[in-house]
Amino acid sequence: MALRFYNTLTLDVKPFAPARDNTVRMYTCGPTVYDYAHIGNFRSFVFFDLLRKWLRASGFQLDHVMNITDIDDKIIRNAVAKKQSLAEYTASYTQAFFDDCKLLRLETPEHVARATEHIPQMARAIRELEEKGFTYESEGSIYFRIASFPEYGKLSHNDFSGNRAGARVDVDTYEKDDARDFVLWKAPKEGEPFWNTEVGKGRPGWHIECSVMAIEFLGETLDIHAGGIDLTFPHHENEIAQSESLTGKPFARFWMHAEFLLVEGQKMSKSLGNFFTLRDILEKGYAPETVRYLLTSVPYRKSLNFTFEGLKSAATAIERLRNYQLRLDTARFSAGSNEVLERRTAEANRQFTDALDDDLNTAEALAAVFEYVRETNAAMDAGLFTSGNVEGAKAFLNRFDSIFDVLKPSEKANALPDADIEALVKERTDAKKARNFARSDEIRNRLSAEGVLLEDTKDGVRWKRK
Ligand code: AMP
Ligand code: ZN
């Protein structure tokens, strides 16, 4: 079965291919850089990354835009409180976001677009909406009149036809199910930064930012627009209203939304205070790839409950795969090729593809990998795994890692505690005494992968970190 995705707009799973020239034009809503992102935010970003990698593995090219929201109410409030300019205030959090992305092995989209660098284009779009009769002005701010867009509600599948005419909202996000006319352009308040544009002094609302930058880089109709599930309403609903009113074309063919990362059943969020940043987790001694693994282990459309137990299981799972890889690299297998195992490898590859083609079913894909590892490990123990099977197994593991990207230890991994290193060093010495050189080599490699070097001296083994 071919690649297919669930579409929030149509509420069903449909085959996916880009509309034009084999290139997937994709827009994902990026961070608001008013603070460090938490790992709940990163669940969405890790999902976007997996989506990228699987689209590319499926033979498509990517043209992907992610925005950086570097102007909004919270940013202004915090920057003013710290007596910093907006640019100063957002620079450090933007950098922190990129640092975290790098640690989590997230590819950089083809375009990273900062809202503040596209203000004139936003003013232009608002002017056009005005000219087409979709807006009204009140006290210097400009609002989108949702009654002028009869399809409003089609993404979140709400019937807003009975909404209160003329009710409007100035803030960018709101939880309520009733729709309001939303702000496109905000008049400046005393002491706030503003831009002088063709629609007057002020600053853009959050929603117009994404519509304008998406169309600017990718054209009027995107193949995929993705974000966290909470963005469905009002943010994406508003993006559709603005974009389709401007262009008269469908804004995005596929809408994909990642479910929440939960903590004890509640959404991980800044406002609830139940969040961890990546930094918080790394300080506890976990490697970044462990977080990456955990965040991908549950398919993106299911909520995922964060626990440290879960994080430990993720670390164990990665460890198992690394040990398997090491065994493939270092163990000696008998000559020849076991046909049954060759077929098993082909089957595992098929299962892996089928799972990810099925709306990125990462849990099934991981199950295919672990089942294969379990069976082939058993075949190795039984002496049935032959040298002719090694390449296929390695290729499968590499293929898995080209998407999940967790096998290479992080450079800053030097996180193996001294006690663990010493225990492994002792185990290696014992293995050598027992002439179990396969095991002693395995341990040396493992430690090397962790950045630990061993030196055999006449007084015993000395170790040091690279
Ligand atoms: P923000 O920086 O608040 O604009 O959010 C950035 C992204 O993270 C958005 O796509 C949100 O939908 C997403 N997000 C926020 N909280 C969570 C969570 N607990 N689980 C998954 N995604 C989240
Ligand atoms: Zn957006």
Side-chain angles (χ1 to χ4, degrees), residues 49-50 53-54 57 105 289-290 292-294 296-297 314-325 328 345 348-353 355-356 360-373 391-408:
D49 187 63
L50 218 79
K53 287 175 172 147
W54 190 242
R105 306 174 184 191
E289 64 271 25
T290 308
R292 181 177 167 95
Y293 183 98
L294 178 71
T296 56
S297 60
T316 309
I318 295 175
E319 193 63 34
R320 246 184 97 205
L321 296 177
R322 284 183 184 158
N323 284 335
Y324 178 76
Q325 192 173 41
L328 284 173
T345 307
N349 271 292
R350 258 193 319 274
Q351 289 169 336
F352 185 78
T353 307
L356 292 180
L360 290 179
N361 191 334
T362 46
E364 287 280 327
L366 290 172
V369 172
F370 279 96
E371 187 52 29
Y372 176 79
V373 167
E391 281 316 309
K394 279 188 182 173
F396 178 50
L397 207 59
N398 286 339
R399 190 162 169 249
F400 149 79
D401 205 42
S402 70
I403 309 296
F404 285 82
D405 206 350
V406 292
L407 291 183
K408 196 161 72 56

Side-chain angles (χ1 to χ4, degrees), residues 88 122 227 362 405 435 442 451:
E88 266 177 294
M122 293 176 207
T362 46
D405 206 350
R435 306 191 64 76
E442 202 172 284

Side-chain angles (χ1 to χ4, degrees), residues 242-457:
Q242 300 162 149
S243 307
E244 300 192 358
S245 299
L246 271 174
T247 68
K249 310 236 171 70
F251 182 40
R253 298 169 55 234
F254 280 75
W255 286 87
M256 299 177 73
H257 291 103
E259 260 294 344
F260 287 142
L261 185 70
L262 306 177
V263 184
E264 286 161 18
Q266 280 189 304
K267 175 189 173 189
M268 180 177 284
S269 73
K270 288 266 156 57
S271 54
L272 290 172
N274 60 351
F275 64 92
F276 295 97
T277 63
L278 186 61
R279 275 135 235 268
D280 295 335
I281 307 261
L282 302 189
E283 269 169 26
K284 293 181 194 289
Y286 294 93
E289 64 271 25
T290 308
V291 178
R292 181 177 167 95
Y293 183 98
L294 178 71
L295 295 179
T296 56
S297 60
V298 171
Y300 76 95
R301 282 207 303 129
K302 291 206 167 91
S303 52
L304 161 54
N305 199 34
F306 175 80
T307 61
F308 281 96
E309 275 313 305
L311 207 50
K312 282 187 196 125
S313 309
T316 309
I318 295 175
E319 193 63 34
R320 246 184 97 205
L321 296 177
R322 284 183 184 158
N323 284 335
Y324 178 76
Q325 192 173 41
L326 198 64
R327 193 170 187 186
L328 284 173
D329 284 340
T330 55
R332 291 220 179 83
F333 302 105
S334 54
S337 187
N338 179 331
E339 294 289 320
V340 177
L341 285 179
E342 277 305 279
R343 281 199 295 278
R344 182 67 188 84
T345 307
E347 184 195 22
N349 271 292
R350 258 193 319 274
Q351 289 169 336
F352 185 78
T353 307
D354 287 349
L356 292 180
D357 273 353
D358 180 14
D359 196 26
L360 290 179
N361 191 334
T362 46
E364 287 280 327
L366 290 172
V369 172
F370 279 96
E371 187 52 29
Y372 176 79
V373 167
R374 196 185 63 76
E375 285 177 28
T376 48
N377 257 328
M380 289 177 198
D381 294 344
L384 297 171
F385 194 95
T386 60
S387 59
N389 298 125
V390 173
E391 281 316 309
K394 279 188 182 173
F396 178 50
L397 207 59
N398 286 339
R399 190 162 169 249
F400 149 79
D401 205 42
S402 70
I403 309 296
F404 285 82
D405 206 350
V406 292
L407 291 183
K408 196 161 72 56
S410 294
E411 269 165 35
K412 286 211 260 172
N414 276 344
L416 200 62
D418 287 7
D420 290 12
I421 296 176
E422 261 142 34
L424 282 165
V425 169
K426 173 157 190 318
E427 195 193 332
R428 175 171 169 271
T429 310
D430 294 345
K432 274 173 85 172
K433 272 197 203 126
R435 306 191 64 76
N436 182 353
F437 298 114
R439 180 67 188 143
S440 67
D441 285 347
E442 202 172 284
I443 293 172
R444 177 189 275 276
N445 289 340
R446 154 94 204 278
L447 287 169
S448 161
E450 292 281 352
V452 178
L453 292 179
L454 299 182
E455 196 189 341
D456 290 307
T457 73

Side-chain angles (χ1 to χ4, degrees), residues 111-256:
H111 311 274
V112 175
R114 288 172 172 76
T116 54
E117 292 173 3
H118 299 262
I119 306 277
Q121 295 92 315
M122 293 176 207
R124 181 92 284 270
I126 294 168
R127 170 67 81 214
E128 273 178 45
L129 286 170
E130 256 180 353
E131 285 163 5
K132 290 182 169 159
F134 290 100
T135 69
Y136 60 90
E137 205 179 311
S138 174
E139 293 164 24
S141 292
I142 304 170
Y143 297 85
F144 186 95
R145 190 193 309 277
I146 64 166
S148 65
F149 186 72
E151 292 174 64
Y152 195 84
K154 68 178 174 181
L155 181 70
S156 52
H157 305 281
N158 278 318
D159 179 5
F160 290 123
S161 52
N163 73 297
R164 285 175 291 152
R168 60 173 189 262
V169 63
D170 286 290
V171 292
D172 289 323
T173 51
Y174 41 102
E175 308 264 325
K176 295 201 187 88
D177 272 353
D178 62 331
R180 315 277 183 91
D181 292 343
F182 57 90
V183 70
L184 294 164
W185 187 257
K186 301 191 190 202
K189 294 202 189 92
E190 186 62 34
E192 281 189 352
F194 63 85
W195 282 260
N196 207 347
T197 70
E198 64 178 293
V199 291
K201 287 184 182 146
R203 62 185 169 95
W206 172 35
H207 315 297
I208 193 71
E209 174 192 318
C210 287
S211 287
V212 166
M213 296 195 293
I215 294 172
E216 182 181 337
F217 286 101
L218 301 173
E220 295 178 334
T221 301
L222 318 172
D223 290 305
I224 297 176
H225 193 315
I229 188 84
D230 55 337
L231 301 187
T232 312
F233 179 84
H235 183 52
H236 290 163
E237 203 72 77
N238 293 352
E239 281 190 39
I240 289 178
Q242 300 162 149
S243 307
E244 300 192 358
S245 299
L246 271 174
T247 68
K249 310 236 171 70
F251 182 40
R253 298 169 55 234
F254 280 75
W255 286 87
M256 299 177 73

